[in-house]
Structures are given as structure tokens and as C-alpha cells.
Amino acid sequence: MKQSSEELSWEEGVARYLRNNPDYFERHEDLLEVLRIPHKGRGQAVSLLERQAAVLRERLAAKDRERQSFLAAARENEALAERLHKLAVALIDAASLDDVFGSVYDLGRNQLKLDAVTILLGVDGGPLGGRPEFVAPDDGRLRRAQALSRERPLCGPKAVLAEVRGLLGPDEARIGSVALVPLRDPVRSGLLLFGSHDRERFPAGVGTMYLGRLGELVMRAVAQQLDRA
């Protein structure tokens, strides 16, 4: 049965009065035990005090879950910052390209426990042309991946890179999510690609600040080694 506008107005008036007079039940404590409110999930009525306690418990539980989520994110960010710092130290100490690439592969495969780590850099031929990380600057796979990222880190399911085949290694068919990190300096460009079997490891829309910093560190270290060659 629909309530008339007069009934709704009367209910709104009662609700407004109680909101404006939160001490009402302090002056009428007897009503706290008399008033009965349906309890969600129980199928039975409870007193106002019981209902209020239940609401407070639900809110506290929600706040605790939120707090735990923040703490987990903070711990994860702290761990990422520590790994990034260790990588930076390793890259500073790197004496060769083997050291640079080895440090990046170690970070991805051993520390982050990822299932695929790929480095591609657009470099003209010469004595470095035989390295698997170096491809021609106009390599189609590199150009398409760079177009997808638009010069910023990109995360998401494997479908994000569906048109770029053969970049995730022999285990490519099992990769569920990817992170694409552009590598760029004034004269060179490339990409760092991480892959995981876990579809939720690199969800679309996740923060990419650390990935961006990682790309800057790696490109700087690579450029230093190439300039010495």
C-alpha cells in the first residue's frame, strides 16, 4: 500500500525532530526497550539498542577492513620502494650491459616472481646488433607496443597486447596480465614488458608510479653503457 503525502510528511517530520534532538531518548529511556526494529538477516525484531549496537559493529567491521586494506597497500609500496632502491644501486654499480640487463631480469624473475620479462630497445646495427634485447628502431612489434602505451606505463589483461605477438616468451599462452613500461631518452626508445600468470597481478587502472620510475632508471643505465660502447 502506498503512503499518502500526508503520511510521508508526518514521517519526515518525526525523522527531522529526532535528528535535531539526538538526546530525545535520553529523556525517554523507556522507549528504547519498547521500540522494535526488523533485524536484517534474522527475520525478527530487535530493540532499538540492539539494532544500534549491530549497526555500530557493522561500521566498525567495515572500517577495520578498510584499515587492513590500507596497511596491506602501504606494506606493498614499501617493499616496492626497497626493491627499486636496490635496483638503482645495482644499476649505478653496473660495469656492462650484461650487468644492467641481469639486474632487471633478476628483479622481475626472482624478486617479483614474474613469469615473463622482456626488454626491447630500438638500436641501429653495429657491434650490439646481436643482442636479443636490441631490435631495429622500426621493428613492427616495438612500434605497435609503443603505440599502445602512448609513452606511459600500461597495465591490464593480456588482451591489452593482443596484437603484439611473441613478446612474452615461450610461456606466452599462460600469461594472464601484463605491465608495459616505456623506455625512452632523447635518442633511443624501447620497452620493458612484465607478464604474470595471475590475471590480477597487473589489473587495468592500477597505479603505475613505480613502473614509470623503473623505466627511467633502466633507460638511464642502458644509455650510459651504450654511450661508452
Side-chain angles (χ1 to χ4, degrees), residues 170-183:
D171 204 27
E172 184 175 79
R174 297 179 60 197
I175 298 300
S177 62
V178 295
L180 176 60
V181 184
L183 304 175

Side-chain angles (χ1 to χ4, degrees), residues 57-72:
R57 283 195 298 269
E58 291 169 3
R59 290 179 180 174
L60 287 173
K63 287 292 185 182
D64 187 61
R65 289 192 295 271
E66 184 179 0
R67 183 178 66 86
Q68 293 296 334
S69 177
F70 281 138
L71 287 174

Side-chain angles (χ1 to χ4, degrees), residues 22-79:
D23 61 343
Y24 175 82
F25 288 107
E26 294 180 10
R27 302 193 303 273
H28 301 275
E29 292 185 0
D30 56 307
L31 293 177
L32 293 175
E33 292 296 335
V34 175
L35 293 174
R36 314 298 291 179
I37 302 175
H39 189 286
K40 293 181 180 179
R42 281 189 178 179
Q44 62 185 20
V46 297
S47 72
L48 185 60
L49 282 176
E50 290 176 297
R51 179 57 180 153
Q52 187 179 41
V55 169
L56 288 175
R57 283 195 298 269
E58 291 169 3
R59 290 179 180 174
L60 287 173
K63 287 292 185 182
D64 187 61
R65 289 192 295 271
E66 184 179 0
R67 183 178 66 86
Q68 293 296 334
S69 177
F70 281 138
L71 287 174
R75 285 191 292 267
E76 182 178 352
N77 285 336
E78 184 178 5

